[in-house]
Amino acid sequence: MSRAELRIGIRSLEGNIKSLYRFSQKPIIAVLKANAYGVGALQVALLMDKLEEISALAVACVEEGIDLRKVGVRKKILVLGGVLKGEEKAFVEYNLTPVVSHKEHLKALAGLNIPIQIKYDTGMGRLGFLEEVIKDDRVEGILSHLSSPLDEEYSKLQIERFVKILNHYRGLKYVHMESSAGVVYRIPFTTHIRVGLALYGEKPMPNYLVSLTPALELRAKILSVKTLPAGFSVSYSRTYITEKSTRVGVVAFGYADGLMKSLSNKAYLFYKGKPVKIIGNITMDMTMVDLTNTDAQVGDWIEIVGQNQSFTDLAKLAGTIPYELMTNLSSRIRRELCL
């Protein structure tokens, strides 16, 4: 039993992976960092480990890679966030592939006979070498990252910079740059695409060229239903006052679960497909909604994300990005694979 759950649709997830593969004609590196963007890395990793379209998985740090190995993941795991001294033994013990983006990372890996990949900063201004060619027999691949995929001119400049770097290498097994949004550029010289958000049916840009199906349903149970009279205040700071007799439901989901307080008095949740407005301030563990003209009862489910709205939709209302909403999802939300 759970008061809140995130249901992960296996068929939709697999369908999105196949759709991305068909569109790009390239094997996929599935990014499962930050608990698979909040979806649940341990829930989806073993599923992805069995799919032929998935060539490798990617995480942010050594600890995330170790967690995947401990549940039985066998495919290649890239660690995107570099290498710190003291971590080098874990790369060997757990068969993790480091992504090197600084000379200090190379120093930490000195003497270790493991494949490495080199990251280049072509315009992100974050991790990565600028133009330096790394002459090391262990190099099996190079990668970069598009900072602004919606900016076509700048993205093409980054691609041009990357191809100039690629010309200094030979015999690479992995060349990757395209993210969920970046796949639309169909970069001809890359060998893989590296995607995260699109796997779950969240479209990273308007008019996205890849056909995706929503794979996530986030829902929570109703804790209370009661009718408040006109002129009654709802929640902290009295930001909502009922104008008439109102049937108010209390949903077992708050900002501690990942529903940002900025959505208070703005966003809608859904009951049996019908929108029900959030009224009053979202609190730590609970959110109030207007259930007038519904037959909702205590114990019924309220949909937060699913067929009626996406994380992207909520993020626009909250003034943020879907990644932030998703990675803020609480550990007390049950994650469940379902058909």
Side-chain angles (χ1 to χ4, degrees), residues 13 29 41 45 58-60 111 142 151 155 170 178 180 211 218 230-231 233 261 270 273 281 293 313 323:
L13 182 59
I29 298 171
V59 296
I142 65 171
D151 186 333
S155 294
R170 295 289 182 274
E178 292 138 293
S180 290
S211 177
L218 178 63
S233 61
K261 189 171 179 288
F270 291 84
N281 278 334
N293 298 323
D313 295 329
Y323 303 88

Side-chain angles (χ1 to χ4, degrees), residues 80-154:
L80 300 172
V83 184
L84 296 174
K85 288 183 179 178
E87 295 179 339
E88 56 272 13
K89 290 182 180 179
F91 282 95
V92 176
E93 183 178 353
Y94 292 98
N95 188 25
L96 306 175
T97 302
V99 172
V100 172
S101 53
H102 195 280
K103 284 187 175 180
E104 291 299 319
H105 302 169
L106 284 172
K107 289 181 183 178
L109 295 169
L112 297 183
N113 185 26
I114 58 173
I116 63 176
Q117 298 193 20
I118 308 298
K119 186 165 190 178
Y120 283 93
D121 184 353
T122 57
M124 181 72 177
R126 196 173 61 178
L127 291 179
F129 296 95
L130 293 178
E131 297 177 347
E132 183 177 357
V133 177
I134 304 302
K135 296 181 179 179
D136 190 311
D137 291 340
R138 297 173 297 176
V139 176
E140 66 169 8
I142 65 171
L143 61 146
S144 189
H145 194 59
L146 296 172
S147 76
S148 311
L150 291 177
D151 186 333
E152 185 175 348
E153 183 177 352
Y154 190 69

Side-chain angles (χ1 to χ4, degrees), residues 59-254:
V59 296
C61 58
V62 167
E63 290 84 358
E64 291 179 341
I66 292 172
D67 286 344
L68 295 188
R69 287 289 185 233
K70 284 184 175 179
V71 297
V73 169
R74 301 179 67 181
K75 282 189 175 173
K76 188 178 193 68
I77 298 177
L78 302 182
V79 178
L80 300 172
V83 184
L84 296 174
K85 288 183 179 178
E87 295 179 339
E88 56 272 13
K89 290 182 180 179
F91 282 95
V92 176
E93 183 178 353
Y94 292 98
N95 188 25
L96 306 175
T97 302
V99 172
V100 172
S101 53
H102 195 280
K103 284 187 175 180
E104 291 299 319
H105 302 169
L106 284 172
K107 289 181 183 178
L109 295 169
L112 297 183
N113 185 26
I114 58 173
I116 63 176
Q117 298 193 20
I118 308 298
K119 186 165 190 178
Y120 283 93
D121 184 353
T122 57
M124 181 72 177
R126 196 173 61 178
L127 291 179
F129 296 95
L130 293 178
E131 297 177 347
E132 183 177 357
V133 177
I134 304 302
K135 296 181 179 179
D136 190 311
D137 291 340
R138 297 173 297 176
V139 176
E140 66 169 8
I142 65 171
L143 61 146
S144 189
H145 194 59
L146 296 172
S147 76
S148 311
L150 291 177
D151 186 333
E152 185 175 348
E153 183 177 352
Y154 190 69
S155 294
K156 287 183 176 179
L157 174 62
Q158 283 193 258
I159 293 168
E160 289 173 5
R161 289 172 177 169
F162 193 44
V163 76
K164 289 179 181 177
I165 294 165
L166 177 61
N167 288 335
H168 294 283
Y169 287 90
R170 295 289 182 274
L172 297 175
K173 297 178 182 177
Y174 294 85
V175 179
H176 44 110
M177 187 180 199
E178 292 138 293
S179 59
S180 290
V183 298
V184 300
Y185 290 100
R186 297 179 186 268
I187 302 174
F189 56 83
T190 57
T191 61
H192 296 69
I193 60 172
R194 191 179 67 244
V195 298
L197 189 71
L199 299 172
Y200 309 107
E202 292 282 335
K203 296 182 179 180
M205 59 175 61
N207 304 315
Y208 195 50
L209 298 178
V210 185
S211 177
L212 300 177
T213 303
L216 303 176
E217 181 190 9
L218 178 63
R219 63 185 190 172
K221 286 193 171 181
I222 299 173
L223 295 172
S224 168
V225 181
K226 64 185 176 185
T227 299
L228 297 180
F232 208 95
S233 61
V234 177
S235 196
Y236 291 117
S237 302
R238 305 183 68 240
T239 62
Y240 185 89
I241 309 294
T242 58
E243 295 181 355
K244 57 184 179 180
S245 177
T246 305
R247 197 162 184 258
V248 177
V250 180
V251 182
F253 204 93

Side-chain angles (χ1 to χ4, degrees), residues 5-17:
E5 62 182 27
L6 180 65
R7 293 164 59 84
I8 308 155
I10 295 173
R11 290 175 182 168
S12 295
L13 182 59
E14 291 179 344
N16 293 335
I17 289 169

Side-chain angles (χ1 to χ4, degrees), residues 259-272:
L259 193 61
M260 295 178 69
K261 189 171 179 288
S262 60
L263 292 168
S264 301
N265 296 304
K266 284 184 185 178
Y268 287 82
L269 307 184
F270 291 84
Y271 177 73
K272 295 182 179 179

